[in-house]
Amino acid sequence: MLKLIIKKECLTALRDVRLQVSAVILLILMTTAVLVGKEGQKLIQEEREEAQAAMYDQWLDQGNKHPHSAAHFGQFAFKPKPVLSFLDVGLDTYTGVSIFLEAHKQNEVLFSGAQDSNGMSRFGELTVALVFQVFLPLLIVFLAFNVFTKEREDGTLKLVHAQGLPMRKLLMGKVWGTYLMVLLIYLPIVLLAYLMLDQQSANLDPGITTKFIALVVLYAVYFLVFVLFCVLVSSFAKSSGFSLLTLLGLWIVSCVILPKATTNLADKVYPTPSQFEFRKTIKDKVKNGIDGHNPSDVRLAALKQQVLDEYGASTIEELPVNWSGIAMQAGEEYTDQVYDQEFSRIEEIFKRQNKLSEWVAFVNPYLAARHLSMALAGTDFHHHVAFARAAENYRRFFVKKMNKDMELNHKPGVAYSDYNVGREFWGSIAPFDYQLPSTATILSVQWRNIAALVFWLVILLSIAYTYARKIPKL
Amino acid sequence: MLEARALSKKYDEKYALNNLDLKVSAGEVYCLLGANGAGKTTTINLFLDFISPTSGEALVNGVNVADEPVATKRALAYIPENLVLYPNLTGVENLQFFAGLGGEKPAKPEVVQLLTEAGLQKEAFDRRVAKYSKGMRQKVGIAIAKAKNAEHLLLDEPTSGLDPQASNEFAQLLATLRENGVAILMATHDLFRARESGTHIGIMRAGELVHSIKSEDISLNELEKLYLDTMKSTVYA
């Protein structure tokens, strides 16, 4: 019987010209978004790979010089363009693509897409995620707002009910029928996107298939939540007009107003310090010590005494190792501590802001889908932090290697300009290689959003099963 | 058997149906007459569980509709006054859908036979219902009711919108169903049809069953007089 209702719902929808036109428009939009998005992702990734290789060649070809000069010569780390970013660009447009790695300081990831964009980019890019998260739910609203009210208004509901059909079956038939129509639009895009995953995709991210499947499941659940919600509203609404107004109002609130309000609220509750404030704090702490009472010259004097005691020497000239190398590495490590502390503070603020937004996802499933989609596409805040961390670890690694070489091999008494190393030593530093987080890592970080979506699904299914009998028939 | 026991429905402080006692046994056609708002449709809606009674019971084969709404409806067929079908589906598709909901799965030849017996023109079978007239839709409704093979039939002004010929064919259909032992409860404004097709006639006024008579005990003229007198007393009441 369920099959019969589903078939009827599909036939009715398929023969509705307005829905046919809307579906075709959405399919064109999504196909364009997939094709353009994938081409863009591929191009950008190739460019970044080329740039990364060129920068490493530059590092190798920097000529003979002192290792500390090489640490200042620095390297660049380019953020890989995640494969699934062609489906969801997420924060990628705003978070920058490359970072300059050098001695003494942690730089920020620079050159975001937003910096290069014109004013129109404020209206957002056309991405599959945008269509899935915002426009497809709108189509669901138009598909489902009158599935019950129209039948009630026309009188067909009486005739259906009179056949002895339990309301729960009718309700679920309408839910699955509407959902099937959504899948008819959704699945071709899934197939097209799957066909876009090429060898480059697998090289860049070995876990790409799992992430893709998770993304497909995510949106399938998200659409089901919307379908259930819309059909339930229609089942209890007094008229089609009321149902449409209610659903459109809720769509605007959940997809437009609430996300913006949540961001503003998060920023109000957990304010982010300004860039100036942040940089000044770091500078002050490096100069005066983390506690403000341990200036750099005092720290240096203490270290000097410690090293002299260790080697039983009375002057640095008597040391068997290069004092400058030790001092520089110590300075580096102290600066790292300050940076770690301050970046952790900032990260904590962002994490709290994100957490607040994730809790709001229990009220607004759109937020849960948005967070999860960005995470699985590799374009969320956590991915950005993971890249920045990997780049910073690499910076510390190669700067330490420079300092260590200086400490061990730059003999005391040899002038700075007289101690040089060359290509062979530069080559001992492997190029920066960043692996995107695994699906398991992503999902474990995203548990609140998964829980929020499951919560919505369970609540709506429970309402559908519990209250179906109370659906008015007249 | 259809039975109403002290069946009442109250909206706010006003009774739409007050203390109705009624029995329609197998092979009987009980016609409910009355002005608009007399309680005819409310009675049918209560048997169909479209609304819940304020008090009393509507029973189908001795089973309270309120207790077993789905099971009792399985034993009922229903034709409303203004039958609306799915406009994007054809007559055949509509019939297959509604018959399917009732648990029947008629094959295409059977569907064609049912629609033909209901008097629908052949060329309309595979046309979308959006282009049907009211009478054509009503004929599909009759076919739906027949397809269900129910022991009870509830009719809410079923001949409204039918041309005289179709109306006459409908009367013949009722006679056939009655002979087959179907218990029929019909709300109608048509005194002639009630006298012709009904075995029992009830006249309702302001939610109450004022008269209940056997058709064979009253002529059409007497029925008309009784009806008008009852309605007049409503005006002066």
Side-chain angles (χ1 to χ4, degrees), chain A residues 299-319:
Chain A
R299 291 197 308 268
L300 195 66
L303 177 71
K304 189 175 164 185
Q305 196 51 57
Q306 187 196 325
V307 173
L308 289 174
D309 291 347
E310 196 180 317
Y311 287 98
S314 50
T315 63
I316 53 172
E317 285 75 21
E318 290 171 18
L319 286 172

Side-chain angles (χ1 to χ4, degrees), chain B residues 32 102 121 150 187:
Chain B
L32 286 175
Q121 309 95 302

Side-chain angles (χ1 to χ4, degrees), chain A residues 442-462:
Chain A
I442 294 168
L443 295 180
S444 65
V445 172
Q446 294 293 327
W447 70 267
R448 269 185 219 89
N449 292 310
I450 297 169
L453 266 188
V454 172
F455 165 81
W456 270 94
L457 194 62
V458 170
I459 287 288
L460 291 172
L461 279 172
S462 309

Side-chain angles (χ1 to χ4, degrees), chain A residues 62-113:
Chain A
Q62 62 182 300
N64 291 351
K65 59 175 66 152
H66 191 278
H68 189 66
S69 297
H72 276 289
F73 181 83
Q75 289 200 52
F76 272 93
F78 285 86
K79 186 154 82 175
K81 183 78 176 159
V83 181
L84 295 178
S85 65
F86 79 95
L87 296 174
D88 191 343
V89 290
L91 302 177
D92 250 17
T93 320
Y94 307 97
T95 49
V97 299
S98 66
I99 184 165
F100 180 52
L101 310 172
E102 59 175 328
H104 310 311
K105 63 193 235 199
Q106 284 187 30
N107 291 312
E108 288 161 62
V109 186
L110 293 172
F111 308 113
S112 68

